[in-house]
Amino acid sequence: MTTASYKNYSALEAAELRVREAGEWLKLEDGLIETIVAPRRIIEVAIPFRRDDGSRDQLTGWRVHHNTTRGPAKGGIRYHHEVNREEVIALAMGMSLKTAIANLPLGGAKGGVCFNPKDYSIGEIERITRRYVSEISSFLGPDKDVPAPDVGTNSQIMAWIMDQYSTGVGHATPGVVTGKPIELGGSLGRESATGRGVVEAAALMLGKMGASLQGKKIAIQGYGQVGSWAARLAAARGALIVGLSDVGGTIHSAAGLDLVAIDKAFREGARSVCDTGVGDVVARGVAGSTAVFALDCDIVMPCALGDAVGEEEANNMKAKLVVEGANGPLTPTADLIMAEKGIIVIPDVYANAGGVTCSYLEQCQNFAHLTWDEDEVNARVIDLMRAAFERFYAFAQESKLPNRLAASVLGVKTIADAHRMRGLHP
Ligand code: NAD
């Protein structure tokens, strides 16, 4: 299987093919690749709940444990109206690779409930969350499966998950989720960790090219938890954020956007970067958000949703480096165009691993009943990201594989080694 044959595959097919391609490259024996491709467990649940008007309603949710050979399942829970079984499996597979590449003693998982939280009240979201947790609770636990926030979920939802699980087992169990509020055993530094990792990934790759972030022009899609922190931390290291986009469209300033003014406008009620009065509005609306990829810049960081960069965006891209803050932001077709244009891609399974790395540190603190200060957490995230980068970069150089395939091979090899050492029961 070559990368060329990925064109027009779905996210799950592409994820599976990438793992299979890695298995073929590694010449895995004895059908081991089938064990690595197959999710250990796919749980689909009905979530009946009461609407605020007293009527009964029902949603569908999933929790997928993809690989649990190296440790407890780990991965976020997504609340989104387009989430589906296949997407959750693909994202869980990505988590197995991510924890393996980052060399964390964890497996891979993902969860999702198909609904748009914006259409439901806080009370309804709490009832949905509690019923979803009840339905999957026998498969959760600090040594079994530890969820975290993802698109559409946040620290409040993690607090309800912790409470619902704790009520069931009869004692407070903070370690059942990460991304919790600090008051319940959450970790300082979690909010910025993914963006911090994205920026570190860019700096490390530039370092290998004899360059640095100083003066580099960066365009970022998404100004949420990942994108906004990536922007602030890159700017703090001397980069110019020349373009930003979100659901409201794209803004641009060749001299660098004023992030302090943007954050102030958000605090005062702006709903999109386009309403902040900063920079020039290049395009409006969700469709206008992809205009950010065509801006004149050195580095692009897609930090919104999957499949954001397709054929057209890839063809228009002027940057020389893409750092995937989001999960799966480049379509397989875009990947081919990146290769043709010689644009270096730092793949999601490494680039956005700062979040799960910090979640792992949160678990460590919960297990040991410790709290580390923010500087200590940030320093540990950076240390772990650097160690993983050196391992990944050395492997990519040695194997002469393109970055995405090199990352997949490294992840699959790490998982395969664990399977071999554990043996096959019975
Ligand atoms: P978020 O909800 O905080 O922010 C999302 C941002 O993307 C917002 O600015 C939103 O306006 C924008 N956006 C959403 N849909 C869009 C669209 N269709 N077009 C353009 N912009 C759009 O989410 P987040 O936590 O920052 O996560 C972003 C991505 O990063 C997701 O793919 C997520 O899976 C991935 N990720 C997040 C973390 C984490 O720690 N939060 C860790 C790893 C990966």
Side-chain angles (χ1 to χ4, degrees):
M1 185 64 60
T2 65
T3 314
S5 42
Y6 290 172
K7 210 166 177 173
N8 303 325
Y9 275 92
S10 73
L12 177 57
E13 287 167 332
E16 205 176 302
L17 284 168
R18 279 178 182 138
V19 170
R20 288 189 185 283
E21 186 176 13
E24 278 174 31
W25 193 89
L26 287 162
K27 300 191 174 42
L28 287 189
E29 73 293 350
D30 188 29
L32 188 50
I33 193 63
E34 299 307 329
T35 310
I36 294 173
V37 166
R40 297 272 66 74
R41 193 175 276 133
I42 302 171
I43 309 158
E44 179 170 304
V45 295
I47 307 170
F49 70 102
R50 206 55 80 192
R51 297 295 305 248
D52 287 342
D53 65 6
S55 63
R56 174 188 283 263
D57 204 344
Q58 186 156 304
L59 301 173
T60 305
W62 299 268
R63 184 71 185 166
V64 174
H65 295 174
H66 178 257
N67 194 283
T68 50
T69 303
R70 300 176 56 260
K74 187 86 193 81
I77 291 175
R78 182 171 289 198
Y79 287 176
H80 195 272
H81 53 285
E82 283 172 355
V83 81
N84 57 59
R85 186 178 180 275
E86 288 219 332
E87 185 183 25
V88 177
I89 299 171
L91 290 165
M93 200 179 289
M95 287 304 297
S96 297
L97 292 180
K98 201 178 294 186
T99 55
I101 292 161
N103 213 13
L104 303 174
L106 300 168
K110 205 78 181 187
V113 181
C114 180
F115 76 116
N116 187 350
K118 292 197 178 80
D119 296 339
Y120 294 77
S121 73
I122 295 287
E124 288 169 336
I125 294 172
E126 178 175 354
R127 293 196 287 282
I128 291 164
T129 301
R130 289 185 182 278
R131 184 61 190 246
Y132 171 58
V133 172
S134 302
E135 296 293 340
I136 63 171
S137 67
S138 46
F139 299 99
L140 298 180
D143 290 314
K144 292 188 199 172
D145 175 15
V146 183
D150 190 71
V151 176
T153 55
N154 56 25
S155 60
Q156 173 60 78
I157 290 171
M158 297 306 113
W160 290 329
I161 294 175
M162 180 250 175
D163 183 68
Q164 189 66 22
Y165 178 85
S166 299
T167 307
V169 296
H171 56 90
T173 314
V176 69
V177 278
T178 59
K180 300 176 287 290
I182 304 298
E183 295 82 347
L184 291 174
S187 180
L188 293 165
R190 179 63 184 85
E191 167 103 350
S192 63
T194 308
R196 189 177 303 281
V198 168
V199 172
E200 189 62 27
L204 290 166
M205 187 59 86
L206 289 167
K208 297 291 181 192
M209 295 150 70
S212 79
L213 280 168
Q214 186 65 42
K216 288 285 176 299
K217 291 184 282 179
I218 302 181
I220 302 177
Q221 187 193 39
Y223 200 68
Q225 186 171 333
V226 181
S228 70
W229 277 104
R232 285 179 210 115
L233 294 167
R237 294 172 74 161
L240 291 178
I241 310 303
V242 295
L244 282 176
S245 81
D246 61 14
V247 281
T250 298
I251 57 171
H252 173 249
S253 164
L257 294 161
D258 182 346
L259 299 180
V260 174
I262 290 174
D263 288 339
K264 181 167 179 286
F266 271 110
R267 281 196 302 279
E268 288 169 357
R271 309 268 315 237
S272 160
V273 289
C274 292
D275 305 330
T276 60
V278 178
D280 302 320
V281 176
V282 178
R284 281 199 186 268
V286 176
S289 144
T290 54
V292 77
F293 297 123
L295 294 176
D296 184 17
C297 63
D298 304 299
I299 304 169
V300 157
M301 296 177 173
C303 299
L305 289 183
D307 290 342
V309 181
E311 190 166 357
E312 188 184 336
E313 292 77 21
N315 279 327
N316 291 337
M317 198 175 282
K318 300 185 183 72
K320 287 280 165 266
L321 176 63
V322 175
V323 191
E324 294 186 322
N327 286 314
L330 268 58
T331 63
T333 309
D335 240 356
L336 293 175
I337 297 167
M338 297 291 129
E340 280 162 19
K341 290 173 76 170
I343 299 174
I344 296 171
V345 177
I346 310 183
D348 51 3
V349 283
Y350 168 72
N352 67 34
V356 71
T357 300
C358 192
S359 278
Y360 160 68
L361 297 173
E362 184 173 330
Q363 287 181 277
C364 292
Q365 291 171 82
N366 293 157
F367 273 121
H369 303 285
L370 279 173
T371 47
W372 293 330
D373 67 31
E374 190 160 357
D375 288 346
E376 181 163 3
V377 175
N378 292 345
R380 283 176 189 261
V381 168
I382 293 297
D383 280 354
L384 288 164
M385 285 297 288
R386 282 187 187 155
F389 182 85
E390 290 307 332
R391 196 162 156 258
F392 156 65
Y393 187 80
F395 181 72
Q397 295 293 300
E398 183 193 315
S399 62
K400 300 190 168 45
L401 291 173
N403 285 345
R404 194 181 303 283
L405 181 56
S408 301
V409 172
L410 188 58
V412 170
K413 181 181 182 313
T414 307
I415 296 168
D417 289 347
H419 273 287
R420 270 194 222 97
M421 281 181 263
R422 281 186 58 164
L424 184 58
H425 169 82

